[in-house]
Amino acid sequence: MDKFEPWSEPLAREIIARHAAREGAVLPMLHDVQNTFGYVPEPVIPMIAEVLNISRAEVHGTFTFYHDFRHEPAGKHVLKFCRAEACQAAGGDHLCARAEQKLGVKIGETTADDRVTFEPIYCLGLCSVAPSAMLDGKIYGRLDEKRVDSLISEARR
Amino acid sequence: MSTKIYIPGDAAAVACGADEIAQAIAASAKKRGKEIQIVRNGSRGLHWLEPMLEVATPKGRVAYGPVTLSDVESVLDAMLGDGKHKLSHGIADEIPWLKNQTRLTFARCGIVDPRSLDDYKANHGYKGLAKAIAIGPEKTVEEVTNSGLRGRGGAGFPTGIKWKTVASTSADQKYIVCNADEGDSGTFADRMIMEGDPFVLIEGMTIAGMAVGATKGYVYIRSEYPHAIATFTDACEAGRKGGVLGKNILGSNYDFDIEVRTGAGAYVCGEETSLLESLEGRRGQVRAKPPLPAIKGLFGKPTVINNVLSLATVPIVMEKGAEFYKGFGMGRSRGTMPIQLAGNIKRGGLYEVAFGITLGELVDEIGGGTASGRPVRAVQVGGPLGAYFPRAFFDTPFDYEAFAARDGLIGHAGVVVFDDTVDMAKQARFAMEFCAIESCGKCTPCRIGSTRGVETIDRIVANNDRAKNLEVLEDLCNTMKFGSLCALGGFTPYPVMSALTHFPEDFGATPKLPQAAE
């Protein structure tokens, strides 16, 4: 079963209506849309603008500002590597390079078969058990070569 | 009688397998026909021992760690039997690393069940709010001011003064905003509080609301913290059911409620005005000050915006009094600081202690040096915008002013340790690169300066017109420092210039002479 719903305009309208009465509703709406469809489909932008009576440009501006919001679906699995200082200090650079080589993509890219999207994340707050990573929302600390390899084979499955 | 076993649900423990261990312990106990009760507590902060399991005994809680899946059977044998095990550390409270701390903000973290209001109340919870209600708003603001508590987010602004400004500004609606956008690498104290003792934050925000006349609070938690979001949201729900959020808090005439909002991966939203923009549903672009958020903040209303730790410290200040809290610390840095030891460190975790402890004590004695076993070469204090200090600065006491005097900052008190394999030119370049990625784009020194900074450092390292480019870099850093709207552009020069000043040998062939150390 797929984690996400296929695009549906009525469902999108329903999600947006759910948050319409909240103060500063744009981020909660975008989050909810993305959690449902896996990304923020383009038709959502004017829908939000209409409900909140603000301009499309303003919603588009908000949408494009934040790293979290996706313009298109990610690969089947999302592997995020922490690339911040504490993980760098604990050998994260080497492990990131190893993951890039094993996956055959650079960080920030998706594998050609759409299996794995490999992304940087700036700090999971696991700096005392660094280096750390997140695979499909599940967190992993004290990474070493062996643990990275097993994460990658899990993501490839 | 059922045995009570504590298995942390803190993200640092979960990242090291705590969830799987909890399942395995439950399954094994069932197979043995033994009745156990598993409590998913927060972390005590001894992260090198995570997952650290504890079992309640008549003598106190006995700790075992770091437990792996293959230890589950033997650890459970020990817990249900004579207690002997190679991973046993004896009574948790007696472990020197824990015993030598002064736990005020973190008094309950790792001890209580974070989702239980009853547990919180049984451990001094809501005594601070009860006192605040009894003495009234004005005296509450006075108490917080007198305690000397300063903003724990990094800026160190006196919390009481902020509150006073909001209290004395009249408006139909005021807000309490909690900044839980803990984006600095090397920091996790906010996360630990939200996952380990969320009610202390709820109580602190409620006291703030009562003191300044705000009925609504927002907690802006970064999306990188799903466990904190889940635990804190559950605690708010339990608080509403238990009568500590909503109408007539604790039977008083005060109303207060909290809404949790999730960030979306923008580091700059940890800056208070950018956070307010984000809460309002816009791009997280920094606002020029004035007007201060205390006068025109969220939706243009007077707003107290405080860091998680500042708010979570308020209950103990109220319960024990300003004089008690002020009794800890040094100079103008009063009270305690939850210091986070991270990176390449042997004993990483959370260490709460009075201001005044030296950097050397923290890194060498408490942290035990590097995890790799190699010599410590540099320490970055205060996140990506903090300076890199060499060993020569290990006598610096943990104090806002002492760090500033050495061109550094405490920030949110994250300490990231690097061994001698670190390339400091690479770290300096990363600081500029990170600023370029995360800049909100509003002011030119930050937006353009950071990109030019990366290019200039590349030229210096390539020995391309060195002398001239060193000048350019210094000039660029000055422009960023004095010309940026907020700390992102304004403080990025700290890691860059400190790396260049203290570790010139990493920047290429003919090192610039280091400036005289103090």
Side-chain angles (χ1 to χ4, degrees), chain B residues 101-181:
Chain B
Q101 299 187 37
T102 305
R103 289 229 166 173
L104 304 182
T105 310
F106 276 75
R108 266 173 303 261
C109 191
I111 295 173
V112 294
D113 176 350
R115 288 176 166 85
S116 164
L117 179 59
D118 291 340
D119 212 0
Y120 180 70
K121 283 185 169 169
N123 285 275
H124 292 255
Y126 281 102
K127 293 210 167 137
L129 179 62
K131 187 175 160 200
I133 290 171
I135 64 174
E138 266 172 53
K139 286 237 166 73
T140 298
V141 174
E142 213 177 286
E143 197 75 17
V144 172
T145 310
N146 290 342
S147 74
L149 178 65
R150 292 166 71 174
R152 297 289 187 244
F157 189 82
T159 305
I161 308 273
K162 242 185 205 182
W163 288 22
K164 200 172 174 192
T165 312
V166 177
S168 57
T169 307
S170 53
D172 56 344
Q173 176 73 56
K174 298 179 187 179
Y175 295 102
I176 307 298
V177 172
C178 172
N179 184 344
D181 195 34

Side-chain angles (χ1 to χ4, degrees), chain A residues 3-15:
Chain A
K3 293 180 280 194
F4 300 114
E5 298 287 330
W7 166 245
S8 144
E9 197 183 305
L11 181 56
R13 288 198 188 281
E14 194 188 307
I15 293 164

Side-chain angles (χ1 to χ4, degrees), chain B residues 140-329:
Chain B
T140 298
V141 174
E142 213 177 286
E143 197 75 17
V144 172
T145 310
N146 290 342
S147 74
L149 178 65
R150 292 166 71 174
R152 297 289 187 244
F157 189 82
T159 305
I161 308 273
K162 242 185 205 182
W163 288 22
K164 200 172 174 192
T165 312
V166 177
S168 57
T169 307
S170 53
D172 56 344
Q173 176 73 56
K174 298 179 187 179
Y175 295 102
I176 307 298
V177 172
C178 172
N179 184 344
D181 195 34
E182 185 180 51
D184 288 355
S185 175
T187 65
F188 41 80
D190 296 352
R191 177 181 69 61
M192 283 179 67
I193 280 288
M194 291 185 284
E195 292 171 5
D197 190 16
F199 286 107
V200 80
L201 177 56
I202 296 176
E203 184 183 353
M205 288 181 72
T206 311
I207 295 171
M210 182 231 97
V212 305
T215 53
K216 170 123 200 197
Y218 282 100
V219 179
Y220 186 94
I221 311 179
R222 55 203 300 266
S223 61
E224 293 86 345
Y225 282 1
H227 296 79
I229 293 170
T231 312
F232 191 76
T233 305
D234 287 352
C236 286
E237 198 48 51
R240 253 169 241 127
K241 281 193 187 125
V244 295
L245 281 178
K247 300 263 176 220
N248 305 106
I249 308 284
L250 295 183
S252 72
N253 292 325
Y254 298 105
D255 303 338
F256 191 74
D257 212 333
I258 292 175
E259 188 176 331
V260 177
R261 285 289 172 97
T262 307
Y267 174 74
V268 75
C269 288
E271 196 284 334
E272 59 179 16
T273 62
S274 160
L275 189 152
L276 295 176
E277 286 289 307
S278 184
L279 270 180
E280 291 184 16
R282 286 195 288 271
R283 296 167 73 82
Q285 281 195 320
V286 174
R287 294 178 187 171
K289 286 189 273 194
L292 292 170
I295 293 164
K296 273 185 110 166
L298 187 62
F299 303 110
K301 305 292 183 186
T303 302
V304 166
I305 175 159
N306 282 147
N307 173 257
V308 172
L309 298 183
S310 317
L311 289 162
T313 304
V314 167
I316 197 158
V317 167
M318 292 311 298
E319 185 197 340
K320 303 253 168 117
E323 288 304 316
F324 167 82
Y325 192 74
K326 205 162 65 175
F328 299 93

